[in-house]
Amino acid sequence: MLLSEFIKDLLWAGAHSVFMKVGTWLDKKIDGPTVKVAIGMVLGLASIFFVSIVSGLLGV
């Protein structure tokens, strides 16, 4: 139980780091606040699905 929570925390931290770097990179390339918000929402949803899928594959 404790190990699975630790693995999930590591996954969340990794996903947060990766998607924040992608978001920062995209922020410099995109003009317009509406598009930035939409891209941020898509990246947020992608990180949730990423963690769910990897957690399922690892069986935690």
Side-chain angles (χ1 to χ4, degrees):
M1 180 87 160
L2 185 60
L3 181 61
S4 67
E5 291 298 319
F6 178 70
I7 291 172
K8 284 183 183 179
D9 284 344
L10 283 177
L11 286 173
W12 277 113
H16 180 339
S17 175
V18 168
F19 286 102
M20 284 298 290
K21 287 181 182 181
V22 170
T24 303
W25 177 74
L26 283 174
D27 187 40
K28 297 173 187 172
K29 305 220 179 286
I30 298 173
D31 291 332
T34 305
V35 177
K36 288 182 182 182
V37 170
I39 294 295
M41 290 172 32
V42 169
L43 287 174
L45 286 173
S47 68
I48 292 170
F49 287 119
F50 172 77
V51 171
S52 301
I53 290 170
V54 173
S55 294
L57 290 173
L58 292 175
V60 289

